Every structure is written in structure tokens, then in C-alpha cells.
Amino acid sequence: MKGLYLLITVFFIQVLYSQTLIHHTTNYFGPNANPVPEFTDALIPENTTLTVTGDYYFGHGDQTLSNNLKVEIPLIPEKVSVKIWKTLVEHYSVTDEIVSRRAMQKNSGFATGDFYIQTRIKILSEKRSRPALVLNSTLKTASGSDFRNRRFFNTAGYYFDFELGKSFLFDNSFIEEVRLVSDVGFFSWDVQTPNLNVQDDAIMYGFKLILKHKNLSLENTFSGYNGWIKRVEDYGDRPMIFSSRLNFSVRKTLWFAQFQHGIKYFPYEQIRLGVQIPLEKLTPDFFGEN
């Protein structure tokens, strides 16, 4: 009889565990799981570009080292492109408090991230009296690893956004160009809920100020998204961040350093170093222009 009671107890524990709600937000996962989407300067490149970054996320009980590989291929130069990126590998180390809060199984380890595939289309070219307008359509695949330790979601997502950008040029001034960029869109991802398929939908937004002087430029970006789910008080469905990035151009190669601060529901500070390399020989030439 005692054996029967034990089996029943174990069964109910398993049922309760399986019914545990996982909070699919940046407040309960690693920094690369569902970050605030990045946006550019509302321009599509003329040539294929390769961007490699190294990131260090720290603070709030989670330290993460990761790298990211991104390739943008213009199908029609400066008009239509395809962009693909992925966190190749990350190493994380978290405190016991974070392990308990996220229901993780260990304090440290390695994980690999999701593939993102994006199509970019220029809707409007920039003129003297109008800004440039670019439409981005992005698919987030469920290809990341280590869901048990809350590093990446095991669900897919997508987003559509518009980038609007306008430059203002100044003669005989230290700041030669000021570029203003705004971003607005719709972001959606699947949320794992027992016995029910739920989709979290969010409005994404962003504002960027770019100051340029010769081969130097400074980008300041404020961005975030607002979802609708509020299961608990600190569910974290509305992350908000601010970043400042310094770019240094050497010939056609761009080197950059960035600091990012999590204002709300993104419990990380970030230091990023990266390089963007043009790959002219790998640029498609469908129309025989080159």
C-alpha cells in the first residue's frame, strides 16, 4: 500500500512539473533568447557584408560571453537584400538565485542560438524632401539549444518592421552629418503553455541618432517592444534598452564598440566589439552590371 501511495505521489509531482508555466521573456531567459530586435540606418548595402561581433553580458546574476555572425546579401544593390544571422556559441554562468528563479538545471554551460532570416526591401529612396523607407520581414527559427537552462526558446517567431531614415548635412561644421532613424513594427512568438497554443504579440519601436565626422560616427539607440501577456508582476514582456556605439571606418571596413544598458525587463549590461567587412566578390550580379 505504501508503494502505491509513493507511485501516486511521484505521478502527481510529474504532472505538476509538466504543467509549470515557462515565462518566455527576456526577464527569465538568457540575453540572446528573444532580444529587442536591432535595426539599421534605413539603408541597404551595395555589396555583401559580413559582420562578426563578440559580446559580454553582465550584471544581475548572469554573465554571458557570446559571438554573433551576420551576413547581408544584396539581391538588388541598395534596393533588396537578404540577411542571415546567428549566435554561434555562448558560455553562461549564473548565480544560485537565478537558477532557482528560472528553474534551471545548472549554473553554467554552453549553448548555441537561433537562426534569423530577414528580407529587406527599400520602399522609398531618400530625397531632399523625403526620408528613406525600408521594410524588414524576419523569421526567427526554433533552432537554439539548452532550453532546459533557459538560454533559448524552443519556439519560433517572426516580426515585420519599417525603418525610416533621413540625413541632414552641414558644411564647415565638426559634425558633418546628422541622421535620424525611427523603427516601428509587429513582433510575435510562440509561448509554450500546457494544453493551449498561445502567441505573444508585441509592438516594437526604436529611435536612433547618428552623428558623423569624417571616418567616425556615433550611434545612440533607444528601442524596445510591448507584449500583452502579464502572468506575474515581473513577467517582463516589455523590455526596453539604450545603446551607444562608436564606429571607425578604415577604408571600407567598419570597426565598432558598443555599450548597451537594459533600462527595463532586460537584466543585462552589454559590451560589444565587432567588425563589418565588405565582400564585393561575393555580391550577386543577376543583371550583369559588374
Side-chain angles (χ1 to χ4, degrees):
M1 199 67 177
K2 290 182 178 180
L4 179 59
Y5 288 148
L6 180 60
L7 288 175
I8 293 174
T9 301
V10 171
F11 172 76
F12 276 106
I13 289 175
Q14 290 177 336
V15 170
L16 289 172
Y17 181 78
S18 66
Q19 298 297 310
T20 300
L21 289 176
I22 304 300
H23 300 327
H24 284 70
T25 71
T26 56
N27 213 24
Y28 282 85
F29 272 76
N32 295 307
N34 206 47
V36 175
E38 297 179 0
F39 62 100
T40 69
D41 51 1
L43 297 173
I44 295 176
E46 180 181 0
N47 296 300
T48 297
T49 59
L50 171 68
T51 304
V52 182
T53 63
D55 297 324
Y56 174 50
Y57 294 93
F58 60 97
H60 311 280
D62 187 321
Q63 296 187 56
T64 300
L65 280 170
S66 63
N67 54 27
N68 186 280
L69 187 66
K70 181 183 298 180
V71 179
E72 183 168 6
I73 305 170
L75 305 181
I76 303 177
E78 301 182 319
K79 296 184 183 301
V80 179
S81 71
V82 173
K83 185 185 292 187
I84 302 172
W85 67 92
K86 175 183 174 66
T87 297
L88 298 178
V89 64
E90 69 169 28
H91 177 267
Y92 61 90
S93 178
V94 305
T95 62
D96 291 338
E97 181 182 357
I98 295 298
V99 169
S100 176
R101 184 172 186 270
R102 299 179 185 173
M104 297 170 60
Q105 297 185 349
K106 59 182 181 180
N107 292 73
S108 62
F110 291 89
T112 184
D114 301 305
F115 272 106
Y116 288 77
I117 304 172
Q118 182 180 81
T119 300
R120 309 186 67 218
I121 302 173
K122 179 190 286 186
I123 305 299
L124 291 175
S125 296
E126 185 172 351
K127 302 291 184 180
R128 184 172 183 177
S129 59
R130 76 180 186 198
L133 179 64
V134 174
L135 168 64
N136 301 318
S137 303
T138 310
L139 173 66
K140 170 188 173 296
T141 65
S143 54
S145 69
D146 214 0
F147 169 74
R148 291 184 176 183
N149 289 296
R150 310 298 179 251
R151 302 314 299 177
F152 293 93
F153 295 177
N154 61 350
T155 61
Y158 63 89
Y159 59 89
F160 301 94
D161 66 298
F162 289 95
E163 297 178 7
L164 194 69
K166 186 75 175 74
S167 286
F168 301 90
L169 305 179
F170 300 92
D171 296 328
N172 303 318
S173 174
F174 180 79
I175 302 299
E176 301 166 343
E177 179 182 347
V178 174
R179 186 166 181 82
L180 302 177
V181 185
S182 63
D183 184 75
V184 63
F186 174 79
F187 189 15
S188 181
W189 61 97
D190 292 330
V191 175
Q192 186 186 49
T193 302
N195 305 319
L196 184 65
N197 292 325
V198 175
Q199 183 172 282
D200 198 351
D201 302 323
I203 298 298
M204 49 185 285
Y205 58 88
F207 305 94
K208 182 177 294 188
L209 171 65
I210 305 175
L211 307 175
K212 296 183 180 181
H213 170 73
K214 294 183 179 179
N215 60 342
L216 288 174
S217 64
L218 178 66
E219 300 181 16
N220 293 295
T221 305
F222 170 76
S223 57
Y225 60 81
N226 288 347
W228 66 272
I229 298 179
K230 298 179 181 179
R231 289 175 178 162
V232 293
E233 185 178 352
D234 65 342
Y235 184 64
D237 204 18
R238 299 186 173 187
M240 186 186 300
I241 61 171
F242 173 81
S243 65
S244 187
R245 169 172 147 170
L246 181 64
N247 303 303
F248 180 65
S249 181
V250 181
R251 295 176 183 170
K252 294 183 179 181
T253 301
L254 186 71
W255 300 83
F256 55 89
Q258 173 178 290
F259 174 77
Q260 178 178 283
H261 169 62
I263 300 173
K264 186 177 182 182
Y265 296 138
F266 191 78
Y268 306 96
E269 313 300 321
Q270 177 213 59
I271 295 175
R272 166 175 286 182
L273 299 176
V275 59
Q276 184 180 92
I277 306 168
L279 303 174
E280 297 181 17
K281 294 183 178 180
L282 297 182
T283 302
D285 187 13
F286 297 116
F287 302 99
E289 296 179 357
N290 297 326

